[in-house]
Amino acid sequence: MRARVTVYPRREILDPQGKAIHQALERIGFAGVRDVRAGKSFEIELDGGDAAAAERLLAEMSEKLLVNPVVEDYTVELLPGEPS
Amino acid sequence: MRARVTVYPRREILDPQGKAIHQALERIGFAGVRDVRAGKSFEIELDGGDAAAAERLLAEMSEKLLVNPVVEDYTVELLPGEPS
Protein backbone atom coordinates (compact mmCIF):
# COMPACT_ATOMS: atom_id res chain seq x y z
CA MET A 1 0.00 0.00 0.00
CA ARG A 2 1.44 3.33 -1.07
CA ALA A 3 0.23 6.58 0.39
CA ARG A 4 1.01 10.24 0.51
CA VAL A 5 0.75 12.56 3.47
CA THR A 6 0.69 16.24 2.52
CA VAL A 7 1.35 18.82 5.21
CA TYR A 8 0.66 22.54 4.88
CA PRO A 9 0.75 25.47 7.28
CA ARG A 10 -2.76 26.07 8.62
CA ARG A 11 -4.71 28.71 6.68
CA GLU A 12 -4.60 31.12 9.62
CA ILE A 13 -0.81 30.76 10.02
CA LEU A 14 1.59 32.90 7.97
CA ASP A 15 3.44 30.97 5.27
CA PRO A 16 6.63 32.95 4.67
CA GLN A 17 8.12 30.29 2.38
CA GLY A 18 5.03 30.28 0.17
CA LYS A 19 5.05 34.07 0.07
CA ALA A 20 8.74 34.16 -0.90
CA ILE A 21 8.11 31.69 -3.74
CA HIS A 22 5.11 33.71 -4.91
CA GLN A 23 7.23 36.87 -5.06
CA ALA A 24 10.08 35.03 -6.78
CA LEU A 25 7.71 33.69 -9.45
CA GLU A 26 6.46 37.21 -10.15
CA ARG A 27 9.99 38.57 -10.22
CA ILE A 28 11.05 36.12 -12.93
CA GLY A 29 8.00 36.98 -15.02
CA PHE A 30 5.15 34.66 -14.10
CA ALA A 31 1.94 36.68 -14.02
CA GLY A 32 -1.44 35.43 -12.86
CA VAL A 33 -0.30 33.63 -9.73
CA ARG A 34 -2.89 34.21 -7.01
CA ASP A 35 -1.40 32.29 -4.12
CA VAL A 36 1.39 29.86 -3.28
CA ARG A 37 1.49 27.64 -0.22
CA ALA A 38 4.62 25.69 0.58
CA GLY A 39 4.36 22.40 2.42
CA LYS A 40 5.83 18.96 2.83
CA SER A 41 5.00 15.70 1.17
CA PHE A 42 5.77 12.23 2.51
CA GLU A 43 5.36 9.18 0.34
CA ILE A 44 5.04 6.14 2.56
CA GLU A 45 4.96 2.48 1.55
CA LEU A 46 3.28 0.12 3.98
CA ASP A 47 2.94 -3.63 4.21
CA GLY A 48 -0.57 -4.93 3.74
CA GLY A 49 -3.43 -3.95 1.48
CA ASP A 50 -6.26 -2.91 3.81
CA ALA A 51 -7.12 0.67 2.90
CA ALA A 52 -9.05 1.51 6.09
CA ALA A 53 -6.27 0.14 8.32
CA ALA A 54 -3.64 2.03 6.30
CA GLU A 55 -5.56 5.29 6.63
CA ARG A 56 -5.82 4.87 10.40
CA LEU A 57 -2.11 4.08 10.68
CA LEU A 58 -1.14 7.05 8.51
CA ALA A 59 -3.30 9.42 10.55
CA GLU A 60 -1.59 8.15 13.69
CA MET A 61 1.89 8.57 12.15
CA SER A 62 0.97 12.07 11.07
CA GLU A 63 -0.23 13.10 14.49
CA LYS A 64 2.69 11.50 16.34
CA LEU A 65 5.58 12.42 14.08
CA LEU A 66 4.98 14.09 10.73
CA VAL A 67 2.75 17.01 11.61
CA ASN A 68 2.74 19.78 14.19
CA PRO A 69 -1.02 20.18 14.67
CA VAL A 70 -0.62 23.58 16.32
CA VAL A 71 0.51 25.15 13.06
CA GLU A 72 -0.04 22.52 10.36
CA ASP A 73 -2.88 20.67 8.65
CA TYR A 74 -2.47 17.41 6.79
CA THR A 75 -4.22 15.17 4.29
CA VAL A 76 -3.70 11.46 3.69
CA GLU A 77 -4.19 9.95 0.22
CA LEU A 78 -3.83 6.33 -0.76
CA LEU A 79 -2.03 6.06 -4.08
CA PRO A 80 -2.81 3.55 -6.78
CA GLY A 81 -0.36 0.96 -8.02
CA GLU A 82 3.27 0.30 -7.36
CA PRO A 83 6.04 2.77 -6.56
CA SER A 84 7.07 4.82 -9.58
CA MET B 1 -7.31 26.99 -11.21
CA ARG B 2 -5.69 25.28 -8.27
CA ALA B 3 -2.77 22.90 -8.66
CA ARG B 4 -0.20 21.02 -6.69
CA VAL B 5 3.44 20.48 -7.58
CA THR B 6 5.04 17.62 -5.66
CA VAL B 7 8.82 17.38 -5.60
CA TYR B 8 10.79 14.32 -4.47
CA PRO B 9 14.46 13.38 -4.55
CA ARG B 10 15.13 11.27 -7.65
CA ARG B 11 14.98 7.53 -7.02
CA GLU B 12 18.72 7.14 -7.55
CA ILE B 13 19.55 9.95 -5.09
CA LEU B 14 19.85 9.25 -1.36
CA ASP B 15 16.99 10.64 0.71
CA PRO B 16 18.45 11.09 4.20
CA GLN B 17 15.36 12.91 5.49
CA GLY B 18 13.06 10.09 4.37
CA LYS B 19 15.39 7.55 5.93
CA ALA B 20 15.48 9.43 9.24
CA ILE B 21 11.67 9.56 9.32
CA HIS B 22 11.47 5.86 8.48
CA GLN B 23 13.78 5.05 11.40
CA ALA B 24 11.92 7.39 13.75
CA LEU B 25 8.59 5.73 12.87
CA GLU B 26 10.05 2.32 13.70
CA ARG B 27 11.57 3.62 16.91
CA ILE B 28 8.22 4.86 18.17
CA GLY B 29 6.59 1.53 17.37
CA PHE B 30 5.23 1.65 13.82
CA ALA B 31 5.93 -1.70 12.19
CA GLY B 32 5.30 -2.58 8.55
CA VAL B 33 6.73 0.59 7.02
CA ARG B 34 8.62 -0.36 3.84
CA ASP B 35 9.84 2.99 2.67
CA VAL B 36 9.50 6.70 3.32
CA ARG B 37 10.39 9.47 0.90
CA ALA B 38 10.38 13.05 2.03
CA GLY B 39 9.63 15.80 -0.43
CA LYS B 40 8.04 19.17 -0.92
CA SER B 41 4.56 20.18 -1.93
CA PHE B 42 3.52 23.50 -3.44
CA GLU B 43 -0.12 24.43 -3.79
CA ILE B 44 -0.47 27.12 -6.42
CA GLU B 45 -3.54 29.10 -7.39
CA LEU B 46 -3.58 30.56 -10.86
CA ASP B 47 -5.85 32.94 -12.73
CA GLY B 48 -7.75 31.39 -15.60
CA GLY B 49 -9.36 28.04 -16.13
CA ASP B 50 -7.55 26.46 -19.09
CA ALA B 51 -6.12 23.16 -17.82
CA ALA B 52 -3.61 22.63 -20.63
CA ALA B 53 -2.25 26.18 -20.29
CA ALA B 54 -2.04 25.80 -16.51
CA GLU B 55 -0.10 22.55 -16.83
CA ARG B 56 2.38 24.14 -19.22
CA LEU B 57 2.83 27.14 -16.92
CA LEU B 58 3.31 24.94 -13.84
CA ALA B 59 5.90 22.78 -15.62
CA GLU B 60 7.77 25.95 -16.54
CA MET B 61 7.60 27.27 -12.95
CA SER B 62 8.83 23.94 -11.67
CA GLU B 63 11.79 23.83 -14.00
CA LYS B 64 12.75 27.46 -13.46
CA LEU B 65 12.22 27.80 -9.72
CA LEU B 66 10.66 24.99 -7.71
CA VAL B 67 12.71 21.98 -8.70
CA ASN B 68 16.38 21.16 -8.99
CA PRO B 69 16.25 18.69 -11.91
CA VAL B 70 19.71 17.33 -11.16
CA VAL B 71 18.51 15.71 -7.95
CA GLU B 72 14.72 16.05 -7.95
CA ASP B 73 11.69 14.80 -9.86
CA TYR B 74 8.31 16.50 -9.86
CA THR B 75 4.70 15.92 -10.70
CA VAL B 76 1.99 18.47 -11.45
CA GLU B 77 -1.65 17.81 -10.54
CA LEU B 78 -4.61 20.05 -11.18
CA LEU B 79 -6.89 20.09 -8.14
CA PRO B 80 -10.66 20.21 -8.25
CA GLY B 81 -12.74 23.00 -6.79
CA GLU B 82 -11.93 25.97 -4.66
CA PRO B 83 -9.15 26.40 -2.06
CA SER B 84 -9.82 24.50 1.12
Side-chain angles (χ1 to χ4, degrees):
Chain A
M1 180 73 65
R2 211 158 56 94
R4 184 165 58 181
V5 178
T6 306
V7 183
Y8 280 109
R10 283 182 180 279
R11 282 270 166 205
E12 65 271 25
I13 301 283
L14 288 177
D15 174 9
Q17 196 189 352
K19 196 173 168 192
I21 291 166
H22 189 168
Q23 291 168 343
L25 285 169
E26 289 179 341
R27 210 160 42 236
I28 63 175
F30 288 103
V33 180
R34 279 194 206 157
D35 190 35
V36 178
R37 296 172 72 209
K40 293 175 284 186
S41 183
F42 303 102
E43 195 178 300
I44 299 179
E45 245 190 283
L46 297 172
D47 288 336
D50 179 341
E55 283 188 344
R56 273 197 306 278
L57 194 62
L58 290 158
E60 207 186 326
M61 288 176 185
S62 298
E63 278 154 36
K64 284 195 175 159
L65 189 77
L66 303 175
V67 179
N68 177 350
V70 177
V71 292
E72 293 172 328
D73 269 329
Y74 71 97
T75 54
V76 170
E77 293 157 277
L78 300 181
L79 302 178
E82 288 305 298
S84 55
Chain B
M1 179 75 62
R2 210 160 57 94
R4 184 164 60 180
V5 177
T6 306
V7 183
Y8 281 110
R10 282 181 180 278
R11 282 271 166 206
E12 65 271 24
I13 300 283
L14 288 176
D15 174 9
Q17 196 190 352
K19 197 173 167 191
I21 292 166
H22 190 170
Q23 290 168 345
L25 286 169
E26 289 179 341
R27 211 161 42 235
I28 63 174
F30 289 103
V33 180
R34 278 194 207 157
D35 190 36
V36 178
R37 297 170 75 206
K40 293 173 284 184
S41 185
F42 303 103
E43 196 179 298
I44 299 177
E45 246 192 282
L46 296 173
D47 288 337
D50 178 343
E55 283 187 344
R56 272 196 306 277
L57 194 61
L58 290 158
E60 206 187 329
M61 288 176 184
S62 299
E63 278 153 37
K64 285 196 175 158
L65 189 78
L66 304 175
V67 179
N68 177 350
V70 177
V71 293
E72 292 171 329
D73 269 329
Y74 72 97
T75 54
V76 170
E77 293 156 278
L78 300 182
L79 302 178
E82 287 304 296
S84 54

